[in-house]
Amino acid sequence: MTPRVTRRRALVAAAAAGFGLPAVAEAAPAPARHSGRFQNLRVATFNASLNRGRAGQLLEDLATGEDPQIRAVAEVIQINNPDVLLLNEFDHDEAGAGLDLFREKYLEVPQNGKSAVFYPYVFTAPVNTGVPSGMDLNRDGTVGGPDDAWGFGEFPGQYGMAILSRFPILKDQVRTFQNLLWADMPSNLLPTEFYGPEIAARLRLSSKSHWDVPVQVGPSTLHVLAAHPTPPSFDGPEKRNQRRNSDEIRLWADYLSPGRRSSWIVDDAGIRGGLAPQEQFVILGDYNSDPLDGDSWPGAIDRLLSHARVQDTKPRSSGAVEAATTQGAANREHLGDPQFDTADFGDDPAPGNLRVDYVLPSRPLQVVSSAVFWPSQGHPGSELTGVYPFPTSDHRLVRVDLQLKS
């Protein structure tokens, strides 16, 4: 969808470059937009749980401008004030009407006294969730329903993704990998015996999609690598979701590796290969994989955290530590440090709170700071997190401040 740039948005785009956007009291200090030879950039990911149970329902809620959950999500975004933001679980519609409504009726309207935020550039595209496969993927003897879609979903576009940016998105250079076949990945974890050879040969790797979205920041190009792999749960002894989650994560690890490691990757336009070694990037998204706890395939997220081109800034929060302590249950048995948790999942039964949401910049980039927006109870913004039913989402916004050469 081509973003609509109104006169007001054009003026605010200038403000986003450093001319007059007011500071927000509850946020960490916003990075200066430009300083000498460097351009500072705040990049964030947020699984905002802006998904609904039927097609069109999110559009209805967005149109009112008054939905309490959406207003709370917008307030979190206004507090953190990112320059580039990936939203996971934002139901996709072909016309992009949802993104227009979200910007105009929520983000561009001050929420609870916070300063409005403006994103003149957006990107969204179709995803595999809810798209019928025409096959019995869950092997229950029937065809149809969310389990037999290419990615689990009640309707096409459920649990979609969207990128919002203050900087131009180079749409003619975007690469998407919605149709990439799982079987094409060398040494994959595909449980062929469970699916049978006919189904296994047609399965798509990405449960939603994988996107390489270049953003122009001054003279620099930053590749936003966005994805939302399937949860490694809700399956049987064949571990099909665990395996798919791991291989969805591995896709980016191969994409960042030159030569043979990435030569199998073909995007939806038929272009083969991975990201050139000199390119700058940031990996964003809810990857549904904790390094030490939860149900992930062993070592799944480590493929990215330990990749030679990736740096892990380990964003943290005090609220996550507090939550793990007060909620107890499964959290008591975790091996990981709770300060790095990004999601407040059920504690009894497991999995407890986990680190599953990531902002992982490439190694040449200079990191200024990083954080998880999870305030301790009683601190400003804690009313936007809390416990179930969540005012916003069971995930927390994760942000990293970067410096790019200008």
Side-chain angles (χ1 to χ4, degrees):
M1 181 189 69
T2 301
R4 185 176 67 229
V5 182
T6 63
R7 182 167 180 254
R8 180 171 68 160
R9 283 193 181 146
L11 291 172
V12 175
F19 304 105
L21 276 182
V24 181
E26 292 84 349
R33 297 294 178 227
H34 189 273
S35 177
R37 295 179 300 160
F38 295 98
Q39 177 75 52
N40 290 357
L41 186 76
R42 176 167 292 172
V43 184
T45 188
F46 189 16
N47 181 334
S49 295
L50 293 178
N51 61 85
R52 298 297 185 262
R54 60 176 174 81
Q57 186 177 356
L58 179 62
L59 292 177
E60 295 169 8
D61 293 344
L62 288 164
T64 68
E66 297 295 335
D67 183 272
Q69 184 233 356
I70 304 175
R71 289 189 63 185
V73 166
E75 186 175 349
V76 168
I77 295 170
Q78 290 174 352
I79 289 171
N80 287 275
N81 196 24
D83 298 303
V84 178
L85 170 67
L86 170 66
L87 290 175
N88 286 131
E89 297 196 5
F90 188 99
D91 288 347
H92 175 74
D93 66 278
E94 289 294 334
L99 280 174
D100 283 343
L101 288 169
F102 184 49
R103 287 183 291 175
E104 293 171 6
K105 292 184 175 291
Y106 292 90
L107 295 179
E108 296 175 4
V109 176
Q111 304 293 340
N112 198 28
K114 308 305 184 296
S115 298
V117 292
F118 298 82
Y119 295 100
Y121 307 99
V122 297
F123 177 81
T124 189
V127 291
N128 285 324
T129 39
V131 178
S133 70
M135 299 183 293
D136 181 14
L137 300 188
N138 65 349
R139 316 307 285 149
D140 68 350
T142 63
V143 174
D147 278 312
D148 289 335
W150 290 125
F152 180 89
E154 296 286 350
F155 57 87
Q158 190 179 30
Y159 311 114
M161 305 190 297
I163 293 173
L164 299 90
S165 176
R166 291 195 174 108
F167 295 91
I169 293 173
L170 305 178
K171 293 193 175 185
D172 60 337
Q173 299 178 30
V174 169
R175 300 182 71 187
T176 65
F177 301 90
Q178 181 188 7
N179 299 310
L180 186 64
L181 296 179
W182 192 354
D184 286 347
M185 172 181 276
S187 303
N188 60 66
L189 297 174
L190 174 60
T192 302
E193 290 186 4
F194 172 79
Y195 287 114
E198 182 180 355
I199 291 177
R202 296 176 59 191
L203 283 171
R204 299 177 183 181
L205 173 58
S206 183
S207 55
K208 286 84 178 174
S209 190
H210 285 65
W211 300 339
D212 176 349
V213 180
V215 176
Q216 189 72 48
V217 184
S220 299
T221 299
L222 181 71
H223 289 259
V224 174
L225 306 184
H228 184 191
T230 192
S233 309
F234 314 114
D235 52 13
E238 80 290 340
K239 303 295 184 184
R240 65 188 188 276
N241 290 328
Q242 255 192 23
R243 293 166 179 266
R244 189 180 192 182
N245 172 271
S246 181
D247 279 351
E248 286 194 72
I249 294 169
R250 184 191 142 190
L251 171 56
W252 281 150
D254 286 3
Y255 190 69
L256 298 176
S257 302
R260 296 175 59 185
R261 282 280 303 277
S262 57
S263 63
W264 67 274
I265 301 173
V266 181
D267 65 28
D268 294 330
I271 300 173
R272 183 177 296 275
L275 188 66
Q278 71 274 13
E279 297 292 342
Q280 301 177 116
F281 63 86
V282 59
I283 298 170
L284 296 180
D286 169 8
Y287 283 77
N288 276 310
S289 182
D290 184 286
L292 296 170
D293 302 304
D295 298 327
S296 293
W297 191 265
I301 195 62
D302 290 334
R303 292 180 181 274
L304 297 181
L305 298 182
S306 63
H307 196 285
R309 293 182 67 181
V310 174
Q311 55 180 322
D312 180 11
T313 68
K314 295 187 176 180
R316 65 199 70 190
S317 73
S318 59
V321 177
E322 178 187 62
T325 302
T326 58
Q327 293 168 5
N331 297 296
R332 299 190 188 99
E333 308 301 322
H334 281 183
L335 300 175
D337 189 331
Q339 68 177 322
F340 304 125
D341 289 344
T342 68
D344 192 352
F345 292 144
D347 308 297
D348 188 11
N353 304 339
L354 300 173
R355 183 189 183 193
V356 295
D357 305 272
Y358 295 91
V359 179
L360 301 173
S362 54
R363 283 198 172 275
L365 291 173
Q366 180 67 41
V367 174
V368 179
S369 64
S370 63
V372 178
F373 181 71
W374 196 337
S376 300
Q377 291 302 303
H379 288 76
S382 62
E383 71 281 1
L384 300 170
T385 56
V387 296
Y388 186 86
F390 300 96
T392 52
S393 170
D394 51 356
H395 293 256
R396 306 291 178 256
L397 182 145
V398 181
R399 66 174 190 252
V400 172
D401 290 348
L402 304 171
Q403 282 189 334
L404 281 72
K405 289 184 178 179
S406 63

